[in-house]
Amino acid sequence: MNNTGLPPLTWLRAFEAAARHLSFTLAAQELNLTQSAVSQHVRSLEAFLGRELFIRRTRALQLTEAGANYLPTLREAFDLLARGTRSFTGGDPGRTLLVQCNMAFSVFWLAPRLHRLYAAHPWLTLNISTAIWDPERTFHDAPVEIRLGRTGDMSQTALPLPPSTMYPVCAPDYQDDLIDLQTARLFDCSGMMGNWEYWCTATKTPFNMANTVNLASTYVVAMQAALHRAGICMSHDTLAADLVASGHLIRPFEGTAKLPEAYFLMAPARHDETPASRAFVDWLQSEFAKMHNNP
């Protein structure tokens, strides 16, 4: 306890996150605490205030009238604290954003569209961090992350972006005559469920299991190999659509399959948003919507 008449900040953060999610479990994931710690922080705050903030039901929370009345005041206080901190630290961090995404997404999707982002938001400064493996070690430093993975591996606060369609691609002049999948050199990104075997099974395409697939730790390497006529790369439309549309790559076979993995957006909680993060997230979602509405 302190002598300021205010409860500890940890109690307030636990209540705000639990109220936003209506879940102690999701609040715990966001705050990197245990569910029991969040629950105890909220109970301590309730004892401090002398009234209950939640109605606790099986598998669900509901704000009491007191909790619903207290929440807007708390959110306004967090917003004011965030604005004051940004002002105190100098400059305007609200105009600069660190985004983390994998190398292939950065190279093939994000970078070619940055001119549209800056045309819409010329005041924005974007710093892009890429990670090939183990992004969990670094993503906490980035307010916004775009991650490729499976639904079951993502937190419940991760927002799924429209799904991708997978298919093989190669250079227009690879194997001047008819392309033969059984003799072609194949490339793929390691660690993906959406691989050559998956595509062949989904499209009922005969696949020679003796045909070794050349693996790279990022699609950047595998797709560059295809661009330079080394072979055929398994890819998906989020990465390959622009290159196919420009004629730098072609789709030698018609079959497609839904990519088992998907891109997910991790965006800041509402009280942590800045003008930069709001502008980027809105732009990103708009770009994905345009891409999937106009294939």
Side-chain angles (χ1 to χ4, degrees):
M1 194 64 62
N2 55 55
N3 59 4
T4 65
L6 295 174
L9 181 61
T10 52
W11 298 359
L12 298 174
R13 292 181 66 222
F15 166 65
E16 192 280 334
R20 182 160 23 88
H21 294 293
L22 291 179
S23 166
F24 289 146
T25 300
L26 296 181
Q29 292 175 2
E30 177 183 318
L31 299 174
N32 291 318
L33 298 172
T34 64
Q35 187 269 351
S36 59
V38 171
S39 178
Q40 184 56 51
H41 287 333
V42 172
R43 288 194 181 278
S44 297
L45 179 60
E46 288 174 323
F48 181 93
L49 298 173
R51 61 193 66 193
E52 291 189 346
L53 301 173
F54 290 109
I55 300 171
R56 293 160 173 81
R57 305 184 186 280
T58 305
R59 301 179 182 274
L61 291 177
Q62 179 181 336
L63 284 166
T64 62
E65 183 177 355
N69 289 335
Y70 189 43
L71 184 59
T73 300
L74 186 57
R75 284 178 172 164
E76 183 178 350
F78 277 137
D79 288 341
L80 179 62
L81 182 61
R83 290 194 299 270
T85 300
R86 289 194 294 268
S87 175
F88 181 78
T89 54
D92 188 358
R95 301 166 68 88
T96 300
L97 179 66
L98 173 62
V99 174
Q100 178 164 299
C101 44
N102 65 42
M103 181 71 73
F105 185 89
S106 302
V107 169
F108 294 120
W109 192 93
L110 182 56
R113 290 169 171 77
L114 285 179
H115 67 285
R116 296 207 286 262
L117 172 65
Y118 294 134
H121 306 289
W123 51 268
L124 177 63
T125 298
L126 194 66
N127 297 323
I128 302 169
S129 171
T130 60
I132 296 177
W133 293 117
D134 205 9
E136 290 83 357
R137 291 186 179 181
T138 56
F139 86 97
H140 290 293
D141 297 329
V144 174
E145 184 191 4
I146 301 97
R147 189 184 300 184
L148 179 66
R150 292 169 289 185
T151 301
D153 296 333
M154 300 295 160
S155 70
Q156 295 186 41
T157 57
L159 178 66
L161 295 168
S164 293
T165 298
M166 58 181 292
Y167 43 75
V169 292
C170 65
D173 54 351
Y174 175 68
Q175 289 189 346
D176 293 329
D177 20 11
L178 185 64
I179 296 176
D180 184 357
L181 182 60
Q182 305 307 314
T183 60
R185 187 172 295 276
L186 307 182
F187 290 85
D188 206 344
C189 180
S190 59
M192 295 291 294
M193 289 182 62
N195 53 25
W196 273 101
E197 187 174 355
Y198 179 93
W199 178 82
C200 287
T201 300
T203 59
K204 298 181 171 56
T205 302
F207 181 60
N208 182 4
M209 296 300 294
N211 193 347
T212 303
V213 177
N214 300 265
L215 296 176
S217 60
T218 167
Y219 278 113
V220 173
V221 175
M223 290 178 62
Q224 283 293 330
L227 280 163
H228 291 278
R229 302 177 62 243
I232 309 175
C233 174
M234 182 57 61
S235 189
H236 55 86
D237 53 6
T238 300
L239 303 183
D242 290 347
L243 292 167
V244 171
S246 67
H248 288 90
L249 290 174
I250 63 169
R251 292 173 49 185
F253 312 108
E254 293 185 359
T256 64
K258 180 181 177 182
L259 186 70
E261 293 87 355
Y263 285 99
F264 290 81
L265 171 64
M266 283 79 160
R270 203 184 85 160
H271 64 266
D272 287 329
E273 287 181 340
T274 65
S277 68
R278 281 194 297 271
F280 179 80
V281 168
D282 289 346
W283 171 83
L284 177 84
Q285 292 175 315
S286 173
E287 287 290 320
F288 261 86
K290 285 192 294 188
M291 182 177 69
H292 287 270
N293 290 335
N294 301 285

